[in-house]
Amino acid sequence: MTTTDPAVSVRGVGRRLGGVQALQDVSFDLPAGAVCGLLGRNGAGKTTLMAVVAGHDRPDAGEVAVHGERPFENPAAAGLVSMVRDDQRYPDDFHLAHLLRVGPLFHAGWDAQLAEEVVDVFRIPAKPQLRKLSRGQSSAVGILVGLASRAPVTVLDEPTLGLDAPSRQAFADLLVRDLAARPRTVLVATHLADELEGLLDRVLVLDGGRLVRDAALEDLQGSASVVLGPVEAVERATADVGVLASRRVGGFLERVVEEPGGSARAAEDPALQVRRAGLQELVAALGAGPGPAATPRPDRLTEVSR
Amino acid sequence: MLDDGSPLFQQIARQVSDGVLVGTFPEGTQVPSTTELAALHRINPATVGKGLALLVAEGVLHKRRGLGMFVSEGARARLVERRRGELTATYVRPLVAEARSLGLGADDVVALVAQELRDDAPTTSEGAR
Amino acid sequence: MSAVLPSSSPRALGPARRSGASPSPVLAVLRLQAVKRFETWATPLVVLLLGLVFTVLLVLVVWRATGEGPGSPTLAEVGRGTQVAVPWLVGYLVYNGVQSVGTTFPLALALGTARRAFAVGTLLHHARVAAWVAVAVLAVRGVEVVTGGWWAGLHLLGGAALGGGDPVRLVVTVLLASLVAMSVGGAFAAVWLRGGARAAGAAGAALGLLVGAAALVLVAAAPDLAGAFRVWWLAVAAVVVTAAGAAVQVVALRGASVR
């Protein structure tokens, strides 16, 4: 084993849930220490993929390995991954204090001090049952387990869902500080791509159960531009380049085009505005299909860049 | 946060080298640690590390084992050299393009620049006093 | 069972890596199951005592109605015959069994455990709760005997169904009833986790049909059976049901996923 072994390796993974192909032929590697954003629309398969990586669910097809161990029903992999779902269930009468007590039993590296700090920062109340917490407080509990577990592979499912703005910043602060102190591999699903952008170094984009992008963040950041202008001018300038998404308002057309090359002709036309596409725009363009999992779109860019 | 659309690690490199250029980080002194920069900008420490590594490769910074990153001798001169090369592409060309769309001629542009240089001169000397 | 020991080869990312697994997964599950200390150990006693108080209240009502005072055969008969305490306790243990699997399993997965360790730890947990409850009931019965039936000749835990005053039969009865309760509760929850509400409903329906069919057969053979009936048949049946419940839990949890 060497340091180049991936922390997470997913090969041809498929999963059918309730008659829908939730995941289809998904393959990727996460290098150890990567902080990877898992992006895509509702129903794109994000949670299913994370459940498969965390060993909460078993794929119908393909192989998953976490630090070389199969995560599903493998005692050797038990403490390697930590994942609290965004709809995590807790037993009746189960309170914060109980969680703080059992955490260390399952993760030898559990950091009780960090756990207490998370409680303070997010003001997680001690009194109510965990299953009765508000959306944001519930997210904070997920963050607590994810960070305090110090699991080598930490899966965060919508960690900032329902959090107020100061808490979202506090989450970023805590994660950055913890990554600097104890590097680990993080897989984080989010709808707020722009907000977490700085924390990521890789991005996976799912659409309809298929992986439509697997790229280093900096490659993705430069991989598309937005061209805006009069319909005809935009059509002329982007006629023979890859177009990821189009939006027409009145006489104006906005197109997200693939780089390199997509905006070259447009840049020369003073009538057109050209700017780099943000991560959120890019993800929206990649996953702009009308429906969830049921309709994979072969006409859309389904190629996975490596 | 930082933002000009370029990859974050490049922005970090740019920001630190700006600090070297304007004298925030004189040659021979230590620059902020990866952890500090990551926490400051709320970005991944690995990304910061990549940006600093870029500056090491360019000879702007060097690493002292166990201590951190320091500004190399001659770093400023190297940066001036490099930035001068980028001046045309980054500033002059857009300036000319904008001037053209406003219908300004070469003389007008030169006059504008000369004006700006004159206006700026006293401020600079005041600041130096 | 295939190799379960983590390989000891050193790997990338140094100390962070092996900080993962808990030293004893089954022990961790046992402690998780009992982390709510009061609910685990005290609430069954509270339920038991509430049942006893209820019986006493009933005795008081009868006293008022008939005018027969403490020590009278009528009141003693009411106390012995109104056996709600243990059934209430068993009912609570069914709920406990459901909880110990239905909502604790998803939490255990989130914390990181293998299904086998969870199933084994949970079955052990059921066994120890049943043992605790049996011992607790025996202790209360001890107090009852020592105080001469709560100073009033009331032998609330001395009914025929609870061994008619025989402490060994009392313990065995409560132990087996508790095991059956938690095991069946856990089995239903495991089936629900494995196959959803529909599967749990189907399992319930199947169980109902099975019990119904058995009852029909038994009723047909009633005269013969009644003569040959021995109490230990019930004990054997309880052990069989407990074992079946445990088996269902292990099998259902093996493939259960949270998605």
Side-chain angles (χ1 to χ4, degrees), chain A residues 6-7 18 67 85 95 101 151 174 178 192 212 258 278:
Chain A
H67 288 299
R85 304 165 53 88
H95 297 259
R101 226 178 295 151
L174 279 171
D178 206 56
L192 300 173
V212 292
E258 282 183 285

Side-chain angles (χ1 to χ4, degrees), chain A residues 64-152:
Chain A
V64 181
V66 173
H67 288 299
E69 303 283 357
R70 185 173 47 89
F72 188 87
E73 197 48 3
N74 175 3
L80 289 177
V81 195
S82 163
M83 172 184 176
V84 174
R85 304 165 53 88
D86 69 349
D87 57 354
Q88 180 66 43
R89 289 204 295 270
Y90 298 97
D92 288 356
D93 301 310
F94 198 86
H95 297 259
L96 180 62
H98 298 133
L99 186 67
L100 296 177
R101 226 178 295 151
V102 296
L105 303 176
F106 292 86
H107 294 282
W110 182 271
D111 187 334
Q113 207 179 333
L114 182 58
E116 290 293 345
E117 190 183 347
V118 173
V119 170
D120 286 346
V121 165
F122 296 100
R123 302 182 181 176
I124 305 174
K127 205 143 192 227
Q129 299 187 31
L130 289 187
R131 63 197 194 90
K132 302 219 164 128
L133 292 182
S134 74
R135 180 61 261 172
Q137 290 166 338
S138 211
S139 293
V141 173
I143 291 171
L144 187 160
V145 174
L147 291 184
S149 71
R150 299 242 194 234

Side-chain angles (χ1 to χ4, degrees), chain A residues 168-245:
Chain A
R168 292 204 300 274
Q169 295 192 336
F171 165 68
D173 288 342
L174 279 171
L175 184 59
V176 164
R177 204 191 62 198
D178 206 56
L179 284 171
R182 296 278 294 267
R184 51 167 142 183
T185 312
V186 176
L187 180 61
V188 50
T190 181
H191 286 300
L192 300 173
D194 286 343
E195 193 163 290
L196 292 183
E197 186 171 350
L199 299 171
L200 308 178
D201 48 24
R202 289 201 76 75
V203 170
L204 297 171
V205 183
L206 281 174
D207 184 35
R210 291 171 181 273
L211 189 61
V212 292
R213 263 294 207 286
D214 169 12
L217 182 70
E218 66 238 34
D219 295 339
L220 202 58
Q221 281 168 329
S223 70
S225 294
V226 179
V227 177
L228 172 66
V231 175
E232 270 180 33
V234 172
E235 278 175 347
R236 210 179 315 119
T238 59
D240 47 6
V241 300
V243 174
L244 298 174

